[in-house]
Amino acid sequence: MKISAARVIVTSPGRNFVTLKLQTDEGLYGIGDATLNGRELAVVAYLNDHVLPCLIGRDPARIEDIWQFLYRGAYWRRGPVTMRAIAAVDVALWDIKAKLAGMPLYQLLGGRSRERVLVYGHANGEDLDATVDAVGRYIDMGYRAVRAQSGVPGVTLAYGVGRGTLNYEPADAALPTETAWNTSRYLDFVPRLFDRLRARFGNEVELLHDVHHRLTPMEAARLGRSLEPHRLFWLEDATPAENQEAFRLIRAHTTTPLAVGEVFNSIWDCKDLIQGQLIDYIRTTVVGAGGITHLRRIADLAALYQVRTGCHGATDLSPVTMGAALHFDTWVPNFGIQEYMRHTSETDAVFPHDYRFERGYLFAGDSPGHGVDIDESLAARFPYKPASLPIARLEDGTMWNW
Ligand code: KDG
Ligand code: MG
């Protein structure tokens, strides 16, 4: 069998997605996600100009060799654009291999380690009352784990606050929206939010919170310590992790579990965090880090240090990533949790899939492959729309981490 054609499909059913379709000379095809929020066309160009011409005529069964060819062979290694392009190829190849075997992808990875995949949803509100109500709505929908984000009094456009729907999309304008940040107000507010949530919902529900890179290591340590009584499932991205060593300081001061890694794209971004046992959950996902082939290596390293997985699953990762991630989650021995932000109904229609949500869990389907397809004629009805992620500045105008 040979790869006979490769095509990139860009569609925007509510938001932009980049999908790779690899076809074989025997009629089988596989699809992979290559979406990079706000930088979609950079990955399209990388795939079209540098990756796809090298794939035609290759044996699709040689997943590992093609991965090494695209990673080592590029000379310029890593980075979000390269690793997303590699991920799209890798996932499409696993899809083909599993379809050829007539098996759901989790069977090829080693089979089931669990019956269902625990997920967390995103509750958010413009203020404390609205956020408490939003968490209640997620619990009513059956969620057992909920991420809570709230508007902060005195902070314009705090991270993670949606506009009253289940689908929060931060890439809201062609050019970046500017938001203003105030750390003191945030640090005073967050413990009050979790006081209210625990008082209202008790300890049964798992609660999570995303700092979205806004704090320094010492501020993060202070927040982690102040949230210890609220028994969070995790505190996410408490400080930027380019310097992995920074987490040592946070770790020394708090027992609140730490999660990081949605922006990582290789094992090298988290090697010290894992080996130093500086985190509890690794957030890297299939599309972010070179596909199933590389994510598996990260998970295996993490398992040695009792670090568990918590794959990124925001709506800017397409249903193809969600499908592949659910097969990975069904197999991976050191599974922690899976993020699950619901896609719009338009997106779900463009990407027919066989995974399903029930009472706080997602279930990978049993059809051969990763179980997600693309309806190309429907996709063509939603043309690409430029959209950027926001930026954050401190109140004096200094650029900050969004
Ligand atoms: O594109 C950026 C989003 O994926 C990110 O803001 C979502 O932080 C996020 C999360 O935890 O889902
Ligand atoms: Mg996050």
Side-chain angles (χ1 to χ4, degrees):
M1 187 185 285
K2 287 192 181 351
I3 300 172
S4 54
R7 194 164 68 257
V8 179
I9 303 152
V10 181
T11 180
S12 192
R15 65 162 339 287
N16 294 317
F17 295 109
V18 178
T19 308
L20 173 66
K21 186 164 188 174
L22 291 184
Q23 252 145 348
T24 67
D25 56 357
E26 293 185 18
L28 270 182
Y29 66 88
I31 63 174
D33 179 23
T35 308
L36 178 56
N37 203 3
R39 295 289 184 273
E40 293 86 0
L41 300 186
V43 191
V44 174
Y46 190 80
L47 279 166
N48 281 332
D49 296 346
H50 306 292
V51 174
L52 303 190
C54 303
L55 296 181
I56 306 303
R58 282 180 195 272
D59 177 358
R62 295 182 62 168
I63 298 177
E64 184 66 48
D65 184 62
I66 291 176
W67 197 95
Q68 299 293 340
F69 174 87
L70 295 173
Y71 181 84
R72 289 172 194 264
Y75 187 63
W76 312 107
R77 294 182 187 183
R78 301 163 59 190
V81 174
T82 304
M83 296 306 278
R84 267 171 156 84
I86 296 177
V89 174
D90 187 75
V91 169
L93 292 176
W94 278 106
D95 195 25
I96 291 171
K97 196 182 268 296
K99 283 174 175 166
L100 190 62
M103 290 178 182
L105 176 52
Y106 69 79
Q107 291 291 11
L108 292 194
L109 298 177
R112 263 184 200 288
S113 296
R114 58 196 51 78
E115 303 310 318
R116 53 199 181 179
V117 170
L118 177 68
V119 299
Y120 71 91
H122 280 212
N124 58 75
E126 273 169 19
D127 57 25
L128 213 149
D129 288 339
T131 307
V132 173
D133 289 348
V135 170
R137 282 196 295 278
Y138 271 84
I139 294 171
D140 291 345
M141 282 189 278
Y143 283 83
R144 291 149 198 272
V146 185
R147 184 187 97 155
Q149 305 293 139
S150 171
V152 178
V155 172
T156 334
L157 301 175
Y159 166 75
V161 182
R163 287 160 207 83
T165 69
L166 288 173
N167 330 97
Y168 165 64
E169 176 46 65
D172 58 357
L175 295 177
T177 301
E178 301 227 351
T179 66
W181 181 247
N182 183 313
T183 297
S184 307
R185 290 182 205 272
Y186 171 77
L187 286 176
D188 285 345
F189 175 78
V190 177
R192 288 200 283 126
L193 170 66
F194 284 92
D195 279 344
R196 278 281 301 278
L197 290 171
R198 283 296 180 215
R200 169 92 177 264
F201 301 111
N203 271 354
E204 194 66 10
V205 61
E206 300 288 3
L207 293 175
L208 302 84
H209 182 69
D210 190 349
V211 180
H212 222 260
H213 320 277
R214 300 296 167 88
L215 300 177
T216 65
M218 192 50 96
E219 289 161 353
R222 187 179 131 202
L223 180 63
R225 187 176 280 189
S226 68
L227 291 174
E228 279 170 21
H230 305 103
R231 218 213 57 187
L232 292 198
F233 187 91
W234 78 35
L235 185 67
E236 177 185 339
D237 287 342
T239 197
E242 285 107 324
N243 174 16
Q244 298 180 41
E245 193 59 28
F247 276 71
R248 197 171 293 286
L249 190 147
I250 309 174
R251 199 62 154 176
H253 292 282
T254 181
T255 57
T256 293
L258 302 173
V260 73
E262 68 182 37
V263 301
F264 294 173
N265 44 70
S266 91
I267 199 164
W268 303 104
D269 297 325
C270 48
K271 173 180 154 290
D272 299 344
L273 286 167
I274 291 172
Q275 290 181 327
Q277 294 184 288
L278 307 181
I279 55 172
D280 300 278
Y281 296 92
I282 181 69
R283 298 262 299 132
T284 317
T285 192
V286 176
V287 68
I292 297 275
T293 297
H294 193 64
L295 190 62
R296 200 151 74 147
R297 301 221 153 92
I298 295 176
D300 282 342
L301 176 69
L304 300 180
Y305 298 92
Q306 300 193 44
V307 173
R308 292 189 283 164
T309 64
C311 287
H312 190 203
T315 36
D316 49 287
L317 315 180
S318 91
V320 180
T321 285
M322 184 54 74
L326 288 171
H327 285 270
F328 174 83
D329 295 336
T330 298
W331 157 72
V332 71
N334 49 323
F335 171 75
I337 199 166
Q338 168 69 52
E339 181 178 18
Y340 176 47
M341 231 172 138
R342 285 162 191 254
H343 288 109
T344 60
S345 50
E346 289 90 343
T347 298
D348 283 337
V350 168
F351 296 96
H353 52 265
D354 68 354
Y355 58 80
R356 66 178 211 285
F357 175 84
E358 219 176 89
R359 288 185 288 218
Y361 296 93
L362 276 171
F363 293 77
D366 270 318
S367 50
H370 56 47
V372 187
D373 208 340
I374 182 163
D375 177 337
E376 291 189 61
S377 52
L378 189 56
R381 287 205 230 144
F382 300 102
Y384 169 76
K385 287 197 203 104
S388 297
L389 288 170
I391 57 131
R393 291 185 189 274
L394 301 183
E395 287 168 348
D396 68 358
T398 307
M399 272 297 289
W400 201 243
N401 315 304
W402 178 74

